[in-house]
Amino acid sequence: MTAQTLTLPSPAKLNLMLHILGRRDDGYHELQTLFQFLDYGDEITFAVRDDGLIRLHTEFEGVPHDSNLIVKAAKKLQEQSGCSLGIDIWIDKILPMGGGIGGGSSNAATTLLGLNHLWQLGWDEDRLAALGLTLGADVPVFVRGHAAFAEGVGERLSPEYPEEPWYLVLVPQVSVSTAEIFSDPQLTRDTAPIKVRPVPKGNSRNDCLPVVARRYPEVRNALNLLGKFTEAKLTGTGSCVFGGFPSKAEADKVSALLTETLTGFVAKGSNVSMLHRKLQTLL
């Protein structure tokens, strides 16, 4: 068999709002959130192996090979499909860890979709999303590849069609622990559920923001600076902060002012992920 290779994007996501409704008996939190993708992300290259081995050739500081979500996703798919093929994997990593923009979850989803294609498994999206959920609550939205209103722990998804502005995303140089934020006693856990969709204007807050801003002055600083130009929001549990602009030129203009002292990037919001747009060209 000749080596088949495939390079796929692994996009970032934003939580346009994030409400915490309560804590469940299993320790997880009931959420409502609105996911949208960015045309910005990592790039992952896959090459099929005949010997069944799964090798990630890019090293991640502080993350052992077998603990990486990319490797876990590949191994789970291999086990559950009974596939005898293996894979070599390389990643061009630009999404920050602990940034709230879904880097690890996106990488896992790109791996599942990429290997489903290369290994010719023929799994449908529902089956891949169900496997993805066992890897992390945010993996299914990346597997499905459409902007969505999410409920439960983030796994119950309904397609949504929010506006697709240009975003300036600021990346404070801190990694925020999701577990730390969700265990904070001051976290709001009793927001009333939204029953009307699309999400009504004025319901776009993130319940994690007060806790993150209090704990991380770097995030607080980014929110304050961006807030001088547009509504500044936190994505996920942070650390990334974002704001929307009607044009790339306006986002670039503010970026030029703020990225002298802060790290950041400008990207287009997208309701269909660039991963899925690429996969469509392969069909």
Side-chain angles (χ1 to χ4, degrees):
M1 178 181 173
T2 56
Q4 292 172 276
T5 63
L6 179 63
T7 298
L8 292 172
S10 183
K13 60 84 177 168
L14 295 176
N15 297 85
L16 302 186
M17 49 75 67
L18 174 57
H19 295 180
I20 302 170
L21 313 186
R23 200 203 301 243
R24 308 191 320 187
D25 291 341
D26 62 7
Y28 286 96
H29 286 75
E30 285 283 333
L31 310 172
Q32 287 185 323
T33 189
L34 181 58
F35 289 113
Q36 188 178 47
F37 302 100
L38 295 176
D39 282 349
Y40 181 90
D42 301 332
E43 203 168 64
I44 308 180
T45 298
F46 305 95
V48 173
R49 298 175 65 115
D50 290 331
D51 59 8
L53 291 176
I54 290 167
R55 293 274 168 85
L56 174 62
H57 295 276
T58 310
E59 291 186 5
F60 287 70
E61 190 178 335
V63 182
H65 180 273
D66 287 359
S67 298
N68 193 295
L69 272 182
I70 295 169
V71 176
K72 286 184 172 182
K75 287 187 172 176
K76 277 208 170 188
L77 185 62
Q78 186 187 53
E79 287 164 10
Q80 293 194 18
S81 67
C83 183
S84 62
L85 297 171
I87 203 80
D88 286 310
I89 308 170
W90 298 264
I91 178 167
D92 180 11
K93 187 77 183 161
I94 61 170
L95 299 179
M97 295 172 73
I101 54 178
S105 298
S106 179
N107 293 167
T110 295
T111 300
L112 293 176
L113 289 161
L115 298 192
N116 184 50
H117 179 84
L118 281 173
W119 288 346
Q120 299 180 334
L121 302 179
W123 280 33
D124 64 19
E125 209 172 78
D126 289 345
R127 199 173 175 190
L128 290 167
L131 190 155
L133 183 59
T134 69
L135 296 160
D138 286 352
V139 179
V141 74
F142 287 105
V143 168
R144 295 191 182 279
H146 200 284
F149 185 77
E151 299 178 273
V153 295
E155 85 287 3
R156 296 204 309 274
L157 301 167
S158 309
E160 286 287 347
Y161 302 85
E163 293 175 6
E164 297 175 309
W166 285 87
Y167 291 106
L168 170 58
V169 182
L170 298 179
V171 187
Q173 299 303 292
V174 288
S175 178
V176 175
S177 162
T178 299
E180 177 190 303
I181 301 308
F182 275 115
S183 63
D184 191 294
Q186 292 184 32
L187 181 68
T188 297
R189 294 185 176 85
D190 58 357
T191 293
I194 292 172
K195 296 192 168 72
V196 181
R197 293 206 297 277
V199 176
K201 294 282 186 196
N203 275 295
S204 62
R205 75 179 182 281
N206 182 335
D207 284 340
C208 297
L209 188 150
V211 173
V212 176
R214 174 171 51 80
R215 284 175 168 264
Y216 294 90
E218 299 91 341
V219 175
R220 192 165 65 242
N221 179 52
L223 285 162
N224 289 339
L225 289 171
L226 185 56
K228 293 175 181 176
F229 302 94
T230 185
E231 184 184 1
K233 299 181 184 181
L234 184 77
T235 178
T237 53
S239 58
C240 290
V241 169
F242 68 96
F245 295 86
S247 69
K248 183 176 187 297
E250 288 180 64
D252 283 339
K253 187 176 171 184
V254 176
S255 176
L257 294 170
L258 296 185
T259 53
E260 288 180 7
T261 55
L262 287 161
T263 303
F265 61 88
V266 169
K268 184 83 166 66
S270 181
N271 292 336
V272 177
S273 89
M274 59 181 183
L275 167 61
H276 282 255
R277 299 202 304 268
K278 176 68 180 281
L279 287 168
Q280 283 297 317
T281 69
L282 304 176
L283 297 177

